[in-house]
Amino acid sequence: MNSKEKVMVVGSQGQIGTELVVGLRKIYGAGNVIASDIKEIDKSEQEKTGLYEAANVLDAKRLHEIIVKHNVKEVYLLAALLSATAEKNPAFAWELNMNGLFNVLNMAKEGVLSKVYWPSSIAVFGPTTPKEYTPQYTVMEPSTVYGISKQAGERWCEYYVNKYNVDVRSIRYPGLIGWKSAPGGGTTDYAVHIFHEALKSGSYECFLSENTRLPMMYMPDAIKATIDIMQADSAKIKIRSSYNLAGVSFSPKDIANEIRKHIQSFTISYKPDFRQAIADSWPQSIDDSRAKTDWGWQPGFDLQKMTVDMLTNLKNQKK
Ligand code: AKB
């Protein structure tokens, strides 16, 4: 990018967007990163968010207007309905997750954008996928609306790259855990709520059963991976559907035990709801060797390190 070109994060107020905007501004400068989300915000809030444009990703005309106005060349498209919310509103989830992607892909096809980041998810896998160390290429029969939209999205990304020579990059995120912002409607959200409740009330009722092991990742690792894949030489990005990415795998019982090392009196109970079936359809661990060899991915946080960092930061935030 030259110095006049800018990057934009669409879905900037979500769990990933909040942190990605901060990370990108550290690299490109506050004036070169546009935050964008559906919510109109007033002037006083704008001072906190920095450069901000309200836009609905389904409104292609408005999106195009902002992109041209700011000379945006790279878009990180994060606006989507996640797994649990999508099950409650399948039609809208399909519309948002697919048409939002088409609006951005088409701008890349027209040459308005030079690079696009679009997140996929472990939700592309399904009950027939091997559960342990899930390979990059394997059976993919997602059983959730969200997973179906992500799998279709991956196919479309690869299609646009091959057919129209656009530069689209993608990662299959595991469940993401961070302290700076709230998660937004996923099956893995329990792993964030548990920390807040451990500090607030000393107990947590989990909506997944105790041994439901899932692939997870601490947010600083996810932000690093997102920026790293976008900054890598194009020739290194050999997979143009989406890369498997792994951080750490754990169950509610594992994380509760880890929290108990710091808060001895912490208790957990289990009351699985509809999200249990979603979790049961997903892998337990992921083989991310292609991300490691192709563009040098390395996670920095394990369960122990993440737990210490989450608790320390949440405690400081509450002071
Ligand atoms: C969700 O739980 O829906 C997301 C995901 C795994 O993509 N966190």
Side-chain angles (χ1 to χ4, degrees):
M1 282 200 314
N2 71 41
S3 59
K4 293 209 178 83
E5 294 173 347
K6 299 197 169 42
V7 309
M8 180 157 105
V9 176
V10 178
S12 64
Q13 300 212 310
Q15 190 195 13
I16 307 167
T18 314
E19 302 209 27
L20 184 60
V21 168
V22 175
L24 290 171
R25 283 185 176 153
K26 274 190 197 141
I27 298 169
Y28 298 114
N32 293 320
V33 179
I34 323 291
S36 174
D37 213 305
I38 194 161
K39 208 175 119 200
E40 298 281 351
I41 59 172
D42 58 30
K43 274 236 149 52
S44 64
E45 230 183 309
Q46 276 242 17
E47 274 157 32
K48 277 187 259 156
T49 55
L51 262 175
Y52 180 87
E53 293 279 4
N56 181 343
V57 69
L58 294 176
D59 185 347
K61 196 164 157 270
R62 167 87 183 124
L63 215 56
H64 187 269
E65 211 173 84
I66 299 169
I67 284 168
V68 171
K69 175 177 149 195
H70 291 283
N71 198 24
V72 169
K73 288 293 159 199
E74 294 184 11
V75 162
Y76 293 75
L77 171 57
L78 305 176
L81 240 53
L82 298 188
S83 58
T85 323
E87 287 307 298
K88 292 187 176 155
N89 199 344
F92 179 63
W94 182 254
E95 190 194 350
L96 177 68
N97 295 4
M98 298 314 301
N99 292 340
L101 174 60
F102 281 128
N103 287 343
V104 173
L105 285 180
N106 285 332
M107 274 184 264
K109 178 184 162 191
E110 287 156 18
V112 180
L113 296 172
S114 56
K115 219 188 266 184
V116 172
Y117 176 79
W118 175 80
S120 185
S121 159
I122 53 159
V124 292
F125 300 116
T128 51
T129 301
K131 286 226 175 288
E132 285 297 347
Y133 211 54
T134 302
Q136 175 71 41
Y137 298 107
T138 185
V139 181
M140 291 164 86
E141 295 182 316
S143 55
T144 63
V145 177
Y146 175 63
I148 295 168
S149 75
K150 287 296 178 189
Q151 194 196 28
E154 285 192 8
R155 298 288 88 230
W156 279 112
C157 286
E158 196 184 74
Y159 183 87
Y160 269 66
V161 171
N162 292 337
K163 195 90 179 171
Y164 307 120
N165 201 24
V166 300
D167 189 351
V168 186
R169 299 164 186 217
S170 177
I171 283 169
R172 291 172 181 153
Y173 288 134
L176 298 180
I177 298 138
W179 57 272
K180 291 188 184 156
S181 56
T187 301
T188 57
D189 292 8
Y190 89 85
V192 179
H193 300 320
I194 194 169
F195 284 102
H196 287 269
E197 286 306 315
L199 288 169
K200 204 169 92 189
S201 63
S203 66
Y204 178 64
E205 185 179 89
C206 187
F207 57 75
L208 297 182
S209 65
E210 63 180 332
N211 293 319
T212 310
R213 203 163 138 263
L214 288 171
M216 300 279 191
M217 180 173 286
Y218 197 34
M219 193 61 88
D221 274 342
I223 300 299
K224 184 180 169 308
T226 305
I227 295 177
D228 282 358
I229 194 175
M230 282 295 270
Q231 291 193 328
D233 275 356
S234 184
K236 290 190 172 167
I237 310 302
K238 303 209 170 72
I239 294 171
R240 292 298 187 150
S241 50
S242 191
Y243 275 92
N244 272 8
L245 200 73
V248 54
S249 283
F250 58 79
S251 66
K253 189 175 164 188
D254 296 331
I255 193 169
N257 285 339
E258 201 53 44
I259 291 174
R260 219 171 276 122
K261 289 183 187 163
H262 307 273
I263 306 170
Q264 276 88 14
S265 56
F266 175 65
T267 57
I268 184 164
S269 55
Y270 302 94
K271 199 177 173 198
D273 64 15
F274 73 100
R275 289 168 281 196
Q276 184 65 47
I278 301 177
D280 287 343
S281 76
W282 289 350
Q284 299 188 348
S285 62
I286 299 286
D287 170 7
D288 62 353
S289 48
R290 286 299 305 267
K292 286 177 169 148
T293 48
D294 287 3
W295 45 275
W297 158 245
Q298 268 313 324
F301 285 85
D302 58 16
L303 180 57
Q304 289 75 16
K305 215 169 146 191
M306 178 190 86
T307 305
V308 171
D309 204 69
M310 274 297 277
L311 291 172
T312 311
N313 281 298
L314 286 175
K315 272 187 216 154
N316 290 340
Q317 201 180 43
K318 283 182 174 46
K319 276 182 192 157

